[in-house]
Amino acid sequence: MKKRHLRLISMALTLLLMVSLLAGCGGDKDEQKAPLEEEPVVSESEEIELTGEQTYADTVYIAYPNDITSVNPYGNTDAVTAFYTNAVFCNLIENDWETGEVVGVLAEDWEDVNGDGTAWRINLKKGIKFHDGTELDAEDVKFTWEYAKDINNVVKTIPSADAMVKDVVVEDTYTVVFNCNYGIPDFPTYLEIDILSKDAYDTMDVAEAEKIGCGPYMVGELVSGVSYAVERFDDYFEGIDNYPTKEIVFKVIYDDAIPAALQAGEVDYCFYVSPANFNLLDSDPNLKTYKALGCQSYYIGMNYRHDVWNNVEMRQALAKAINKDDIVNVCFENGIGATANYNFCVPSGKGYAEVDAITYDPDGAKELVAKNGKEGMTVSIMATANAKAYAEVVQANLMAVGLSPVIDIVDGSNWAALKKTGDYDIFVNDYASYAGALLYNFDRFFSVGGSSNLYDFASDEWEAMMADIRTCKTYEEMLPKFAEMQQWAADNVPIIPICIGNTIGCANKDVGGVKLAPSLNLMEYQTVYKVVEG
Amino acid sequence: MWRYIVKRILTMVLLIFVVSFIVFTLMSIAPGDPVRSIVGENATEEQVEIMREALGYNDPIIERYGRYMKDLLRGDFGKSIYGAKDVLQEYMQRLPYTVWLAAVSIVFTILISLPLGILAATKQNTWIDTIASAAAMCGLSVPGFWLGIMLMLWFGLNLGWFPTTGAETLNSVVLPAITLGVANAALSTRMTRSAMLDTLRMDYLRTARAKGVAEKVVVFRHALGNALIPIITIVGSQFCGLFGGAMIVENIFTWPGIGSLTITAIRGHDTPLATGCCILTTVITSVILLAIDVLYAYVDPRVKAKYQGR
């Protein structure tokens, strides 16, 4: 009897322990999943201005979920390499995402030598020092172009370098000329390239040389799997007034642990916050959250090896059938993670134009499907496991217009290869990191043989437009043609734009200088600071 | 004894060949195109092809494996396909973190399970035994990932006693070690209890008690010594398991050990890094298991006698 009682008591205690621990997992449901009513960007009153009279922490800690694999800006194609090297290296020219202007960074100015885009003279700023103390000159630009265009030297090559440029000629110490194979009126927009030091590569081991840039920060301590740091370069050519932090340390913290690390004060800032954690962090009085429209354009693509999708009406039927708002609400944390979009281009990209696009119209879609005699047609939807919910929304949308969609979950690591070879009809949740020159992005996605055109889209009309825009003599001349091309893409739907990913950040209240740039390779964390007094 | 050790080392060599072949082959035939991942979406087909050729991906698997093993015999584990980092160097940078975590975790396991198991056995069918058994049941049933998150929230975030992530400070190890140690401690407690109960019922202990030997001496000197054999087996296996099996906990606490390194390599289809990690982990595990077997001989004279052919 006594033993029985003891067992009952111990079972009750165990249950009590489990329940109390489980209770700790809970929280206010409304607080966790509140719908997004207004734009949750940080207010100006919350932002700490850099006055110069405050005392700043020497070190700021930033959380990021991935370790760095290369400190060479051309050594890897991943995001972490791009943003890390962005502080260490400087571009020749930059596409300013705020103003839409092309601005010189290392370049003082540039000119179209022949007036037809076939040759471009770039004049460099003088007195710019690399981290090893040597001075930047035209030879560094020539060296960088030739070194970084070759896949035998680097992993991330300068896009279309050989196709565009015949040769690079050093005219004098600070002047370099790019001779193009054909007229490229928007050529400066292609010069968003990090400049390497030729002297460093000539005199050091590659492992050391690839660390030498001329940005506001130098490569700091790298501890595999733990952290990677940058240290301020006090001889930075634009001065260090805007860079009060001496050292910025990136701590490798996996996605799910980032909120706890921010709340515990173990890190000061994170510019990569999962939308699922947004409300949790936004409700914390010690933190402030940031949100900005990113440069990732999410889209649904079709397999043009299946003849049915070469019929523009069937593509339009799909565009009408798919409810973008549903996808954004169901799959992107109620709109925190993305904003519905109708143009494949993103507003922060050069040459973006508003388009008159096909909107959600299931009745119209049904009519087009019936008109083409495709009622009940099986549509195979290729998706990765993490996009299952996305695929299910699309499946429901397509069923509502009389099609018979089936979902095929595939391995994400094989995604690119499957787009090229797989026997699917449409694929969902793919995205384009939309940065850089517009013509380049158009070319790679929609032109025959384009590097991202793995679904084999081909259109004579499009090719004619591409040929036409290449005859332009000036960039201004190109802009209206860009707008026409965007409208053509909206009408002819070679792909179906769905939404633009939002970039989300979070910082402690005493942190300032945060710039949530829409492009990963422009993530300007280097201006971040932490006020410790004042 | 030496003959046994040499035999085990030869088995280990064979095991390395088998493991390397299986891992290398599985990584190579797994769906996915690592070359595309490396060069990114902007690369042209021509560039993809050049990179594929440079990495040897166009050669048959068996040829690539042969090349890999040839390099391996020279001590060259190759380079990671992302960032071209030396595999052995990368592994060795992460190994101390895993060793430290496993060691602290196993100390926690022993400190909890040994006294609790002994107490439960000596106080069989009392409330102490019931609570110890219930605690062991809880420890075994609670999923590690859930416990880790709860510990992180309570002791890291709410109380602020320990860091929630990373491995920079000495106390960073506490939460992941406890998370890993709880299930191990629960199992070891049950093993210790049952081994002790078996031993305590032996005739020689009854004789000792009849001769008036103090209970403490009976338990700690005569019973525990004999009960240690299965306990060493289980604790040793748990220690080995922590080298390759701490991946989930390493992920929760962002612990930079070999578990998270291996997972990253597998996810990225990084064949040299994944194969290298598996081979090195196999070697370490085999060495530890061998050490445990040798330890048996010192704890149990019967085993030593067997090795010596007596």
Side-chain angles (χ1 to χ4, degrees):
Chain A
M1 193 65 183
K2 191 183 166 192
K3 196 173 153 188
R4 204 167 146 197
H5 279 154
L6 281 170
R7 274 193 184 156
L8 279 170
I9 290 165
S10 62
M11 278 179 75
L13 282 171
T14 310
L15 266 172
L16 191 69
L17 176 74
M18 298 295 282
V19 169
S20 58
L21 281 173
L22 278 169
C25 305
D28 187 342
K29 198 181 171 189
D30 294 337
E31 188 186 296
Q32 298 278 329
K33 285 280 172 188
L36 193 66
E37 285 170 1
E38 56 188 48
E39 203 67 353
V41 289
V42 68
S43 68
E44 279 182 23
S45 60
E46 278 184 286
E47 189 54 45
I48 301 173
E49 294 299 322
L50 182 71
T51 62
E53 288 165 7
Q54 301 135 322
T55 308
Y56 307 104
D58 283 347
T59 306
V60 167
Y61 294 93
I62 300 180
Y64 198 77
N66 298 114
D67 196 8
I68 193 161
T69 51
S70 175
V71 294
N72 180 342
Y74 304 100
N76 210 325
T77 55
D78 60 5
V80 57
T81 303
F83 75 70
Y84 181 86
T85 56
N86 186 41
V88 178
F89 294 85
C90 284
N91 286 326
L92 192 56
I93 283 168
E94 211 161 75
N95 297 299
D96 190 316
W97 54 271
E98 279 180 313
T99 62
E101 295 297 314
V102 182
V103 291
V105 181
L106 300 178
E108 182 74 53
D109 51 44
W110 52 91
E111 60 177 314
D112 183 353
V113 180
N114 305 320
D116 59 0
T118 53
W120 289 85
R121 177 176 290 116
I122 313 291
N123 297 308
L124 298 176
K125 289 177 182 171
K126 291 170 185 162
I128 295 174
K129 278 190 176 169
F130 280 108
H131 300 155
D132 62 351
T134 57
E135 203 175 317
L136 170 95
D137 60 29
E139 289 290 352
D140 295 310
V141 177
K142 179 179 163 69
F143 167 76
T144 301
W145 185 269
E146 285 167 359
Y147 184 80
K149 72 175 185 176
D150 189 349
I151 193 79
N152 292 305
N153 296 331
V154 298
V155 170
K156 183 184 175 186
T157 52
I158 297 171
S160 309
D162 278 329
M164 289 190 302
V165 175
K166 191 163 53 189
D167 59 19
V168 183
V169 178
V170 172
E171 278 196 344
D172 60 46
T173 311
Y174 298 105
T175 311
V176 63
V177 174
F178 288 84
N179 292 309
C180 301
N181 288 318
Y182 51 92
I184 309 174
D186 60 341
F187 185 71
T189 65
Y190 289 88
L191 294 179
E192 206 167 27
I193 52 169
D194 287 315
I195 299 302
L196 309 171
S197 163
K198 183 177 183 296
D199 279 347
Y201 277 83
D202 284 346
T203 57
M204 299 177 184
D205 287 343
V206 174
E208 287 306 310
E210 64 185 11
K211 293 178 181 172
I212 308 298
C214 53
Y217 285 89
M218 304 182 286
V219 171
E221 193 185 11
L222 310 167
V223 187
S224 176
V226 180
S227 62
Y228 38 101
V230 288
E231 290 166 15
R232 193 174 63 195
F233 176 49
D234 291 342
D235 285 337
Y236 177 53
F237 71 99
E238 287 194 333
I240 54 165
D241 292 348
N242 292 323
Y243 307 96
T245 306
K246 288 181 181 165
E247 185 188 35
I248 298 173
V249 178
F250 287 89
K251 292 175 85 170
V252 180
I253 300 177
Y254 301 136
D255 282 348
D256 294 335
I258 286 177
L262 277 164
Q263 290 180 306
E266 288 165 24
V267 288
D268 303 304
Y269 172 46
C270 176
F271 53 68
Y272 176 87
V273 171
S274 164
N277 294 321
F278 185 85
N279 281 329
L280 172 74
L281 297 173
D282 197 42
S283 61
D284 190 318
N286 297 316
L287 301 173
K288 52 189 172 184
T289 46
Y290 302 82
K291 197 180 86 158
L293 206 60
C295 70
Q296 286 186 329
S297 176
Y298 288 82
Y299 66 95
I300 293 174
M302 286 147 275
N303 186 355
Y304 290 96
R305 295 166 205 96
H306 290 193
D307 204 37
V308 63
W309 307 116
N310 288 310
N311 176 351
V312 68
E313 287 190 343
M314 283 305 291
R315 301 202 297 265
Q316 288 168 340
L318 278 194
K320 286 181 179 188
I322 287 161
N323 187 339
K324 297 173 206 282
D325 290 328
D326 270 0
I327 292 173
V328 164
N329 289 334
V330 173
C331 314
F332 291 90
E333 297 292 331
N334 212 14
I336 294 171
T339 305
N341 180 46
Y342 293 87
N343 186 345
F344 180 57
C345 306
V346 296
S348 57
K350 292 285 294 172
Y352 171 82
E354 290 292 332
V355 291
D356 183 14
I358 294 169
T359 53
Y360 178 53
D361 175 14
D363 292 333
K366 208 182 265 182
E367 276 175 32
L368 284 173
V369 170
K371 186 182 161 195
N372 287 279
K374 300 293 181 192
E375 299 106 320
M377 182 182 83
T378 302
V379 178
S380 153
I381 304 170
M382 184 169 78
T384 54
N386 61 358
K388 192 163 175 275
Y390 192 136
E392 283 167 352
V393 174
V394 173
Q395 185 181 38
N397 286 162
L398 298 190
M399 280 170 79
V401 300
L403 294 168
S404 300
V406 286
I407 297 172
D408 182 16
I409 300 292
V410 299
D411 174 24
S413 58
N414 206 20
W415 186 249
L418 280 172
K419 268 201 297 188
K420 203 169 165 55
T421 58
D423 188 27
Y424 60 92
D425 280 301
I426 64 173
F427 57 87
V428 301
N429 200 35
D430 207 338
Y431 64 87
S433 291
Y434 210 97
L438 182 61
L439 195 60
Y440 162 69
N441 281 307
F442 270 165
D443 191 35
R444 70 186 171 113
F445 274 95
F446 303 139
S447 293
V448 173
S451 60
S452 301
N453 184 1
L454 301 175
Y455 34 81
D456 259 10
F457 175 72
S459 159
D460 292 340
E461 272 183 77
W462 179 263
E463 298 298 327
M465 281 192 284
M466 287 297 291
D468 180 44
I469 200 165
R470 284 186 172 130
T471 63
C472 291
K473 302 288 179 208
T474 65
Y475 187 63
E476 284 64 36
E477 208 183 315
M478 293 171 88
L479 283 172
K481 291 186 190 291
F482 277 141
E484 276 172 39
M485 293 167 93
Q486 285 168 72
Q487 186 57 53
W488 185 92
D491 293 335
N492 290 273
V493 276
I495 49 96
I496 304 170
I498 298 296
C499 56
I500 301 171
N502 290 325
T503 306
I504 298 169
C506 180
N508 284 304
K509 285 283 185 201
D510 48 6
V511 166
V514 167
K515 282 186 187 174
L516 211 59
S519 160
L520 269 175
N521 52 3
L522 281 173
M523 199 58 80
E524 293 183 28
Y525 62 88
Q526 56 265 46
T527 53
V528 77
Y529 51 86
K530 185 180 175 182
V531 177
V532 288
E533 205 180 302
Chain B
M1 189 70 181
W2 282 108
R3 209 149 115 207
Y4 173 75
I5 293 172
V6 170
K7 203 171 139 192
R8 283 290 295 270
I9 290 170
L10 289 174
T11 316
M12 202 195 303
V13 172
L14 185 69
L15 187 68
I16 288 167
F17 271 96
V18 173
V19 167
S20 62
F21 183 74
I22 291 172
V23 177
F24 194 93
T25 312
L26 286 179
M27 288 296 295
S28 303
I29 61 171
D33 185 2
V35 179
R36 259 280 165 202
S37 309
I38 298 166
V39 296
E41 60 173 319
N42 298 350
T44 61
E45 279 305 311
E46 190 193 350
Q47 288 173 331
V48 173
E49 200 45 46
I50 291 171
M51 183 59 84
R52 202 185 300 281
E53 190 63 37
L55 291 171
Y57 278 80
N58 285 334
D59 300 331
I61 293 175
I62 201 73
E63 194 181 321
R64 284 162 51 204
Y65 176 71
R67 212 161 42 221
Y68 179 81
M69 289 310 287
K70 202 173 147 192
D71 291 341
L72 190 66
L73 290 172
R74 290 199 301 258
D76 180 3
F77 281 77
K79 290 190 187 308
S80 159
I81 60 171
Y82 298 98
K85 288 183 180 175
D86 185 80
V87 169
L88 185 61
Q89 198 183 336
E90 188 77 356
Y91 188 90
M92 287 305 170
Q93 279 175 351
R94 302 289 193 97
L95 184 63
Y97 293 103
T98 295
V99 172
W100 172 233
L101 175 61
V104 175
S105 174
I106 222 70
V107 167
F108 170 82
T109 300
I110 293 167
L111 286 179
I112 296 289
S113 64
L114 220 56
L116 209 60
I118 294 169
L119 207 60
T122 52
K123 307 280 180 192
Q124 194 190 7
N125 296 334
T126 65
W127 64 271
I128 295 175
D129 184 22
T130 312
I131 288 177
S133 300
M137 194 179 71
C138 273
L140 275 175
S141 330
V142 169
F145 67 88
W146 178 82
L147 181 68
I149 293 167
M150 289 299 107
L151 291 176
M152 185 197 278
L153 292 178
W154 274 104
F155 297 103
L157 198 55
N158 290 355
L159 298 171
W161 291 355
F162 303 104
T164 57
T165 57
E168 286 119 321
T169 54
L170 209 59
N171 61 351
S172 305
V173 77
V174 175
L175 297 183
I178 292 175
T179 308
L180 282 171
V182 163
N184 286 344
L187 186 63
S188 300
T189 302
R190 289 171 72 91
M191 283 299 296
T192 308
R193 179 183 176 274
S194 111
M196 282 297 286
L197 280 175
D198 285 348
T199 318
L200 284 169
R201 287 180 191 131
M202 295 283 186
D203 290 344
Y204 73 93
L205 288 181
R206 196 179 301 131
T207 310
R209 282 194 190 99
K211 286 169 78 179
V213 178
E215 189 60 22
K216 272 186 190 169
V217 179
V218 169
V219 171
F220 290 103
R221 197 160 151 194
H222 298 298
L224 186 60
N226 283 312
L228 271 180
I229 301 283
I231 298 168
I232 288 175
T233 310
I234 194 85
V235 172
S237 309
Q238 286 172 341
F239 189 65
C240 289
L242 290 174
F243 276 86
M247 292 166 188
I248 294 171
V249 172
E250 285 191 1
N251 265 281
I252 293 169
F253 292 99
T254 319
W255 189 261
I258 52 176
S260 53
L261 181 69
T262 311
I263 285 281
T264 309
I266 293 169
R267 278 186 187 152
H269 285 250
D270 194 337
T271 307
L273 187 57
T275 313
C277 285
C278 290
I279 290 173
L280 288 163
T281 305
T282 306
V283 171
I284 290 168
T285 311
S286 305
V287 168
I288 294 170
L289 286 174
L290 178 61
I292 291 164
D293 285 352
V294 173
L295 193 65
Y296 279 162
Y298 290 95
V299 176
D300 189 344
R302 289 170 301 180
V303 179
K304 197 174 184 179
K306 195 179 100 186
Y307 289 140
Q308 287 172 344
R310 274 191 266 158

